[in-house]
Amino acid sequence: MKIALIGNPNCGKTTLFNKLTGSTAHVGNWPGVTVEKREGVYRGFKNKGGQKSEKIEIVDLPGIYSLSPYTPEEIVSRNFMIDERPDLVINIVDATNIERNLYLTTQVLEADVPVLIALNMMDEVKRAGDNIDISVLEAGLGVPVVPISALKGDGVDKLMQRAVSMERTREGSTVLLSALGDKIKPALEFYKAAEVSSPLFHAVKLLENDETELGRKGAKELLDSISNGEDLEAAIVDERYKYITAKLAVAKTKGKKHDMTKSDKIDKVLTHRVWALPIFAVILFAIFHVTFSEDFLYIGAWASLGGGLPGVADLGLSEGMQTFVGIFYDGAVFSPGVILFNMFDTLFSTIQEAIGGAITTEWFAGLFADGILGGLFAVLGFLPQILMLFMWFSILEDSGYMARVAFVLDRIFRRFGLSGRSFMPMIMGFGCSVPAMVNTRTLADENERIATIRVIPFFSCGAKLPILTAIAGGICSFFGVGNADLITYGMYALGVCAAVICVLLMRNTTMKGDIPPFIMELPAYHRPQFKNLMLHLWDKTKHFVKKAFTIIFASTVIIWLFSHLNWSWHYLSDEQMNDSILASIGKLIQPLFTPLGFGSQLNQYGWVFAVAALTGLIAKENVIATFGTLGACLIALGANVGGVTSGELLADEEGITSAIAMITATGISIPALISFIAFNMLTIPCFAACATAKAELRKGTFRWTLLFWIVASYVTSAAVYTMGAWWWTSFIWIAVVAVAVALIILNNKGKIKLPRRKGKGGQAA
Ligand code: GDP
Ligand code: MG
């Protein structure tokens, strides 16, 4: 038996799906989280008493407001219901919002499939003191209705018992019969004669001016003869709502309690015209501060006014105590995220040193302790901070806050050619580009979607975080300047700015299109679900650890081998690394990066930056894994890397240590380092993201997307480097931007012609 779950966005489909199948699909308090269908098997009744053990497949469909498709997700749901004919459709109706939810129900009923209504969120209804009369709903709809709470699990067993005992066939019915019956009839005859399944459904859709139906032979003529110039589509919408108000919504009686709900009160503040954005900025800052700050309480900053606080080394502690205190404090108190990082890092360094010391064969100690462990630990050390960042975003999303931000941002987004809907994929990009790109399916305008997919990698993902943190840390400790947090935020901000500028450019030139109106329900606020959150984090951890022990592990081994073998396959010691295969490949591509600051101008080990950027194409963690592997070798060289001994460096944090080793060995400058981060952040994303982009983009667009990434990253990094190294070059860049803006303005006024891609524009909903 195959059961499909259908319903509005955010009505609790996925929550129910997870309850029924025991899976852990992503639930978000955000419309449009499920963008493709997902299948699972019902895991059975809790009280096994007497139920037949038939295999029941459950399909979770994307949330939709109607069955007239505009977006790809709506098409998925409609096709599944009409063409694949499940044995039963469970239509989930959010009981806190029945008027709007039942609008979809009136359309679902028109198909020839058995329908069961799951009236979800009954816990909320009861809490508000409201009451819903089930028998009124059942009489008005003509199908069974079962009240449930997917979240608490109430009524779910009853729902399934009802589901398995229902008739397996049903003929479509419509609430439009009394008002529009005479119009529907000829259309129904037409489809019956054509012997399609669900003729009633198709007939009504034809009257609704549905594009897919109009494509059928003879349909257009028929519609013209029926409608006689009358706007049937509007009449049908009107009639559906009339029926809902008169016959169905009366089932709900409000309790005495409310005028303004708690959510409304919170929204008054959080979506305030003026304060909404500053509040969001403060929340973002707080998140980054808790996760990355090395001066959490600003004690260091205050104290530095009066001469500064002592570092751990100056406290006169025993060596063990110093390591311990150093986890929490070094001249300032660390934030929770940094403390977690330090704990992992201390552990890893200890293991690495112990193993390195225990192995006596030189090449094996090198491969194992430097190559493999150096690379892996450099990456794994960042797991706590990645998880923490992810946790904050999950909490914001699940509470319902992110939906508000999208709503508020819509006003601003519109100015540069995006709708508020594209905010969510972009924010998801901070976690990982892959799901973010898939999520763009909620965007109706194809060109808006292409533009959004292209800039998603600019929202620095979890895997790029180590690049930011390690190099920012390296800059601060080595050059003794600045503030690592500030550099990290700054780089995030650079990514966002690059995204805005690129979208602006694209939407005004090659990727023009209408911005469809942004219709989104603001979900009620609720407390984030702890279990949900943990599942989420666990998923992320598994993914990250798996990647570390597969792709990154393999890459580190390969990198170590090729940096210790020459073209005649002889083993080279660390000192001879410059003659290795890797070095010669690196030196070959190195000149390409000269305009970006990390090319031929560097000293003898300069090729490591070219190699790191290259390995980043497989997985972005590789950039720092490469640093870890090669850095460990450079550190082992001791005096050869500028007088810093390996002992000194190993006492410091892992990723940062290797970054420092790179800096000392190559003599790279600060602007070049920043440009290196920018390049890795904006250039072609990892392999997985490329594959996703290719699958999501229309044919022929992917090539241009690759080119776009290369050009965008190259230009931005060159700008960063030249402006940082020679301030007066800023004027040149400003002039370039001014010319570009002028060209776009002239083009939009029709004075000149820039290339423009043809394609279907957006459909306004
Ligand atoms: P979908 O978009 O239809 O798949 O909806 P989700 O399953 O992602 O759920 C949307 C939000 O509603 C989530 O925050 C859920 O925790 C919440 N939710 C789902 N079912 C219930 C319920 O029965 N009661 C309450 N109070 N919240 C629910
Ligand atoms: Mg869902």
Side-chain angles (χ1 to χ4, degrees), residues 5 19 80 176 460:
L5 306 181
K19 263 265 143 47
F80 189 83
L176 306 169
S460 184

Side-chain angles (χ1 to χ4, degrees), residues 323 327 339-355 373 377 380-381 384 650-654:
T323 313
I327 291 176
I339 292 174
L340 277 176
F341 174 88
N342 289 344
M343 285 180 179
F344 271 62
D345 206 62
T346 312
L347 180 73
F348 289 158
S349 307
T350 319
I351 298 175
Q352 198 182 352
E353 268 175 278
I355 292 180
L373 294 184
F377 288 167
L380 281 179
L650 276 181
D652 195 21
E653 286 115 58
E654 200 61 51

Side-chain angles (χ1 to χ4, degrees), residues 8-15 17 25-28 30-36 38 60-63:
N8 279 194
N10 220 30
C11 68
K13 286 178 306 302
T14 306
T15 310
F17 176 81
H26 181 28
V27 173
W30 167 276
V33 168
T34 312
V35 287
E36 58 185 357
R38 194 185 289 120
D60 182 24
L61 295 172

Side-chain angles (χ1 to χ4, degrees), residues 514-741:
D514 308 329
I515 320 165
F518 180 42
I519 312 167
M520 190 181 72
E521 180 97 11
L522 291 184
Y525 285 103
H526 49 78
R527 204 165 295 141
Q529 298 295 310
F530 181 72
K531 195 175 143 215
N532 208 335
L533 188 66
M534 286 302 127
L535 283 173
H536 222 114
L537 294 183
W538 176 232
D539 256 12
K540 194 86 188 156
T541 312
K542 267 197 311 209
H543 176 77
F544 193 80
V545 171
K546 203 170 122 203
K547 209 160 142 199
F549 282 96
T550 51
I551 299 177
I552 298 164
F553 178 84
S555 310
T556 52
V557 173
I558 292 170
I559 289 165
W560 191 87
L561 281 177
F562 284 108
S563 61
H564 287 78
L565 289 175
N566 64 14
W567 288 102
S568 39
W569 297 95
H570 283 296
Y571 170 74
L572 302 174
S573 67
D574 289 339
E575 285 85 353
Q576 298 161 314
M577 216 160 69
N578 257 334
D579 303 321
S580 63
I581 298 179
L582 199 64
S584 50
I585 297 175
K587 284 173 195 165
L588 199 66
I589 55 170
Q590 200 181 350
L592 288 177
F593 298 111
T594 306
L596 312 188
F598 47 98
S600 307
Q601 63 268 73
L602 300 182
N603 296 343
Q604 51 174 344
Y605 291 106
W607 51 269
V608 293
F609 284 96
V611 169
L614 203 64
T615 55
L617 296 182
I618 303 167
K620 289 293 164 187
E621 290 94 336
N622 270 343
V623 175
I624 287 307
T626 306
F627 272 32
T629 304
L630 297 179
C633 306
L634 292 176
I635 292 166
L637 294 179
N640 289 359
V641 291
V644 185
T645 66
S646 61
E648 259 171 53
L649 284 179
L650 276 181
D652 195 21
E653 286 115 58
E654 200 61 51
I656 298 174
T657 318
S658 38
I660 295 175
M662 295 298 180
I663 299 171
T664 48
T666 61
I668 191 170
S669 66
I670 296 179
L673 282 167
I674 305 270
S675 142
F676 179 74
I677 307 180
F679 181 77
N680 281 293
M681 227 170 80
L682 305 181
T683 198
I684 303 177
C686 70
F687 195 72
C690 285
T692 313
K694 189 162 190 305
E696 294 297 320
L697 289 170
R698 203 154 15 112
K699 245 175 133 182
T701 348
F702 182 65
R703 285 196 301 260
W704 293 106
T705 305
L706 279 180
L707 186 69
F708 166 78
W709 284 327
I710 294 173
V711 172
S713 57
Y714 202 86
V715 172
T716 313
S717 305
V720 166
Y721 172 63
T722 50
M723 287 196 281
W726 305 281
W727 61 270
W728 48 266
T729 54
S730 316
F731 298 117
I732 301 176
W733 290 105
I734 291 171
V736 170
V737 173
V739 169
V741 171

Side-chain angles (χ1 to χ4, degrees), residues 48-124:
K48 300 236 160 40
Q51 289 297 338
K52 273 188 298 198
S53 57
E54 182 185 16
K55 185 178 168 205
I56 303 176
E57 274 178 66
I58 313 273
V59 184
D60 182 24
L61 295 172
I64 48 173
Y65 291 114
S66 94
L67 286 170
S68 306
Y70 284 113
T71 62
E73 38 177 359
E74 287 169 347
I75 297 171
V76 169
S77 297
R78 169 177 166 148
N79 288 355
F80 189 83
M81 207 180 82
I82 302 301
D83 301 335
E84 295 194 30
R85 297 274 222 122
D87 296 298
L88 175 71
V89 167
I90 295 186
N91 176 204
I92 299 159
V93 169
D94 174 356
T96 59
N97 216 326
I98 50 176
E99 286 89 344
R100 183 184 39 82
N101 276 252
L102 287 170
Y103 182 72
L104 175 68
T105 309
T106 60
Q107 298 176 49
V108 171
L109 290 177
E110 282 154 9
D112 289 347
V113 284
V115 179
L116 174 61
I117 309 283
L119 195 60
N120 191 27
M121 312 241 185
M122 283 306 282
D123 55 323
E124 289 283 336

